[in-house]
């Protein structure tokens, strides 16, 4: 079936393996090929999931024209003042907790004295 009718001298000659393929170097092969293949597959699936998540945002409010200056941006210092170390507390979580505690105490005090708000309180000048 579908065999050539004529035979030539070169029919039995073939390209050498090294003419078709580069030699494999030991350095390019990972020590654990299954692990590296699994990590590569995981990375590809994460990229596909990310692109699928953002696909619905592809055409929303996107500019239709591109300009040279699109990639230029203002520097951070042009928009915001530099933060000084003096204005930031040394322990921000502690200061936030103390502030919240103070606010809750003020709310509790105002709730306790709410019934006395309009009862014959002296007016001071």
């Amino acid at each position: 079936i579908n065999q050539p009718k004529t035979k030539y001298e070169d029919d039995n000659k073939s390209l050498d393996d090294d003419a078709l393929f580069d030699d494999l170097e030991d350095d390019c092969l990972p020590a654990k090929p299954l692990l590296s293949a699994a990590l590569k597959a995981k990375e590809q699936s994460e990229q596909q999931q990310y692109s699928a998540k953002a696909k619905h945002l592809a055409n929303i409010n996107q500019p239709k024209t591109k300009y040279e200056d699109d990639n230029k941006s203002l520097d951070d210092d042009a928009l915001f003042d530099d933060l000084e170390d003096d204005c930031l507390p040394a322990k921000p979580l502690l200061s936030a907790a103390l502030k919240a505690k103070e606010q809750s105490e003020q709310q509790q005090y105002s709730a306790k004295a709410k019934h006395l708000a309009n009862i014959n309180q002296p007016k001071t000048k």
Side-chain angles (χ1 to χ4, degrees):
I1 301 177
N2 290 335
Q3 297 296 321
K5 294 181 181 178
T6 57
K7 292 189 176 185
Y8 299 100
E9 293 178 21
D10 298 335
D11 282 346
N12 292 331
K13 292 184 180 177
S14 177
L15 293 175
D16 293 332
D17 289 341
D18 58 346
L20 290 176
F21 305 105
D22 294 332
D23 290 335
L24 291 177
E25 297 177 10
D26 293 335
D27 298 339
C28 69
L29 294 176
K32 298 181 179 181
L34 291 177
L35 177 63
S36 63
L39 291 174
K40 186 176 181 180
K42 181 180 177 185
E43 181 181 328
Q44 287 176 350
S45 68
E46 287 175 354
Q47 287 177 351
Q48 289 175 350
Q49 288 175 355
Y50 176 74
S51 65
K53 288 180 183 176
K55 187 182 266 186
H56 66 284
L57 300 175
N59 295 323
I60 298 177
N61 292 330
Q62 298 297 320
K64 294 180 181 179
T65 57
K66 292 186 177 183
Y67 300 101
E68 297 178 12
D69 299 334
D70 282 347
N71 292 331
K72 293 182 181 176
S73 178
L74 295 175
D75 292 332
D76 290 339
D77 57 352
L79 293 176
F80 305 104
D81 294 333
D82 290 333
L83 288 177
E84 297 176 10
D85 293 334
D86 299 339
C87 69
L88 295 176
K91 297 181 179 180
L93 291 177
L94 177 62
S95 63
L98 292 174
K99 185 177 180 181
K101 182 180 176 184
E102 182 181 325
Q103 288 177 351
S104 67
E105 287 175 354
Q106 286 176 353
Q107 288 175 352
Q108 288 175 356
Y109 176 74
S110 65
K112 288 179 183 176
K114 194 176 213 178
H115 65 284
L116 301 174
N118 295 325
I119 301 177
N120 294 330
Q121 296 296 321
K123 296 180 181 177
T124 58
K125 292 184 182 181

